[in-house]
């Protein structure tokens, strides 16, 4: 049955890619004053993947994208649109077009969007609107970040959290509608809680005319405030998305949250009364990969056979902005 708003939508393929370099907690113990036990008990993270100075975001994003295209059994030349959700592009003017070139997706328009750790969910909602209106039929959505570029490796409050990676899904027009509901939100008054800001220095270019020049970073975060925000807002936004889909939390097969902190995952599941066995988590191996975390965990669960066609998935992202959002969908055609 088609959704009354327009064309139905199906999520037909997933893919992921991560760098080979692994930084584990014992190695971090030699860098900053921390311990494996402290990191694991407070975050659930045991190791994370890091991109070396030769790896470009476009390369791992294209690898994840190609894996998703292969699963969906669609050629890159059939794509109408590529959306890259990222906060760490190779080029500040945008990296999606580089990925389009690497894939050979000659017919696809491509653009970047930034909503930090909420980026993938915001990207799903954005892609859905293009399909709903009938403008595009085949959309590739990529979530990818190389946060190690912007981490202060002497700050034990943030350097233990972040890793690098990419994940992707193919979203297609479909006879039956599998994208069932969403809710996305923003609150700029809390922007200071999690930032990667531009640091400007004045430079006089001619007499009495000065411009700002500088660079970005590193990441700064008020961990307690972000934790409090996530535990309060994420269950609410999932409930709103479920309401829009005319569904209840009891009907969820899998809860797929942004992989930020295991305590947040546990607290959200507890508030929604979702049993632990329905909560997807690969946080221990990858850490917080920002916009990549949801598609990374999704692809892993699909390829492990956990997620089956027709399974009901409630996903939610939350992070800098502050931004947060949820999408409810059935996996597969």
């Amino acid at each position: 049955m088609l959704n009354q708003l327009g064309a139905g939508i199906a999520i037909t393929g997933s893919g992921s890619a991560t760098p080979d370099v692994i930084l584990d907690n014992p190695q971090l113990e030699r860098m900053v004053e921390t311990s494996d036990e402290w990191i694991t008990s407070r975050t659930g993270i045991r190791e994370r993947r890091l991109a070396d100075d030769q790896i470009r975001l476009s390369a791992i994003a294209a690898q994840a994208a190609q894996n998703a295209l292969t699963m969906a059994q669609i050629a890159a030349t059939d794509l109408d649109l590529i959306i890259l959700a990222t906060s760490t592009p190779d080029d500040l003017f945008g990296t999606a077009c580089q990925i389009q070139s690497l894939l050979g997706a000659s017919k696809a328009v491509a653009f970047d969007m930034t909503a930090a750790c909420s980026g993938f969910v915001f990207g799903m909602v954005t892609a859905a609107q293009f399909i709903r209106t009938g403008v595009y039929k085949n959309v590739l959505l990529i979530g990818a970040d190389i946060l190690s570029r912007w981490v202060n490796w002497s700050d034990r409050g943030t350097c233990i959290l972040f890793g690098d990676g990419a994940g992707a899904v193919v979203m297609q027009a479909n006879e039956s509608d599998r994208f069932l509901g969403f809710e996305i939100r923003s609150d700029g008054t809390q922007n200071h809680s999690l930032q990667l800001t531009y640091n400007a220095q004045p430079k006089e270019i001619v007499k009495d005319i000065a411009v700002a020049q500088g660079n970005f970073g590193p990441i700064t975060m008020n961990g307690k405030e972000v934790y409090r925000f996530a535990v309060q807002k994420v269950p609410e936004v999932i409930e709103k998305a479920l309401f829009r889909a005319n569904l209840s939390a009891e009907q969820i097969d899998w809860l797929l949250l942004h992989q930020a902190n295991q305590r947040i995952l546990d607290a959200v599941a507890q508030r929604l009364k979702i049993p632990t066995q329905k909560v997807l988590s690969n946080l221990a191996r990858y850490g917080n990969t920002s916009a990549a975390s949801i598609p990374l965990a999704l692809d892993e669960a699909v390829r492990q056979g956990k997620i089956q066609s027709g399974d009901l998935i409630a996903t939610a992202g939350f992070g800098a902005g502050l931004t947060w959002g949820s999408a409810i969908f059935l996996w597969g055609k």
Side-chain angles (χ1 to χ4, degrees):
M1 181 176 179
L2 287 179
N3 187 288
Q4 292 180 349
L5 294 175
I9 299 167
I11 296 88
T12 59
S14 64
S16 58
T18 56
D20 294 330
V21 174
I22 297 174
L23 179 69
D24 61 23
N25 291 348
Q27 290 171 302
L28 276 170
E29 289 177 356
R30 301 195 289 271
M31 296 168 53
V32 292
E33 187 179 344
T34 190
S35 69
D36 176 44
E37 188 278 331
W38 192 92
I39 298 170
T40 303
S41 64
R42 285 164 176 78
T43 70
I45 302 169
R46 297 185 180 275
E47 59 187 35
R48 65 287 294 149
R49 305 296 182 95
L50 301 182
D52 63 30
D53 59 356
Q54 300 301 308
I55 292 180
R56 296 177 64 80
L57 182 82
S58 56
I60 58 171
Q63 183 181 344
Q66 186 57 62
N67 291 339
L69 291 170
T70 299
M71 183 185 290
Q73 298 182 324
I74 180 175
T77 50
D78 291 327
L79 289 173
D80 302 306
L81 172 65
I82 298 170
I83 300 174
L84 171 65
T86 188
S87 300
T88 57
D90 294 330
D91 182 341
L92 201 57
F93 289 156
T95 296
C97 290
Q98 297 174 39
I99 298 167
Q100 180 228 35
S101 176
L102 289 170
L103 293 173
S106 56
K107 298 176 183 177
V109 64
F111 63 82
D112 292 24
M113 65 176 296
T114 301
C117 300
S118 303
F120 186 79
V121 172
F122 278 44
M124 289 191 86
V125 174
T126 302
Q129 309 318 303
F130 283 102
I131 298 173
R132 286 261 187 260
T133 57
V135 175
Y136 297 134
K137 292 183 178 180
N138 301 314
V139 180
L140 173 67
L141 170 62
I142 307 164
D145 272 303
I146 299 181
L147 288 172
S148 61
R149 291 172 172 173
W150 302 106
V151 167
N152 177 356
W153 291 101
S154 63
D155 177 11
R156 65 177 182 175
T158 57
C159 74
I160 64 171
L161 300 174
F162 298 108
D164 304 331
V169 296
V170 174
M171 298 176 65
Q172 296 182 274
N174 196 57
E175 289 186 1
S176 63
D177 193 21
R178 318 277 277 183
F179 190 77
L180 306 178
F182 69 87
E183 179 81 8
I184 52 177
R185 304 294 298 272
S186 301
D187 181 5
T189 66
Q190 299 300 312
N191 177 258
H192 59 276
S193 298
L194 179 53
Q195 293 182 310
L196 201 171
T197 57
Y198 174 66
N199 297 324
Q201 297 293 328
K203 178 179 175 62
E204 188 174 67
I205 54 174
V206 295
K207 182 174 175 57
D208 298 327
I209 297 178
V211 297
Q213 294 195 318
N215 53 26
F216 290 88
I219 297 168
T220 60
M221 182 177 70
N222 183 326
K224 290 182 180 179
E225 286 299 320
V226 173
Y227 177 86
R228 190 159 35 239
F229 144 75
V231 169
Q232 177 186 355
K233 297 297 186 181
V234 173
E236 290 178 2
V237 81
I238 292 173
E239 288 173 337
K240 287 180 182 294
L242 285 167
F243 177 79
R244 292 183 184 276
N246 196 27
L247 294 166
S248 66
E250 290 77 16
Q251 294 172 274
I252 295 171
D253 292 307
W254 301 104
L255 179 64
L256 175 55
L257 302 180
H258 164 51
Q259 306 287 294
N261 184 305
Q262 190 62 47
R263 292 194 299 169
I264 294 176
L265 272 61
D266 294 342
V268 172
Q270 184 176 13
R271 179 164 168 181
L272 293 172
K273 299 180 181 179
I274 295 173
T276 302
Q277 61 269 25
K278 289 187 175 184
V279 181
L280 295 172
S281 176
N282 63 2
L283 182 68
R285 295 186 302 283
Y286 299 106
N288 180 344
T289 55
S290 192
S293 78
I294 290 173
L296 258 174
L298 173 68
D299 183 54
E300 186 173 76
V302 169
R303 293 179 188 276
Q304 289 174 348
K306 287 183 178 180
I307 294 178
Q308 299 291 317
S309 181
D311 281 0
L312 180 64
I313 300 170
T315 188
F318 50 92
L322 294 176
T323 57
W324 65 106
S326 175
I328 312 298
F329 63 93
L330 298 169
W331 173 252
K333 292 184 178 180

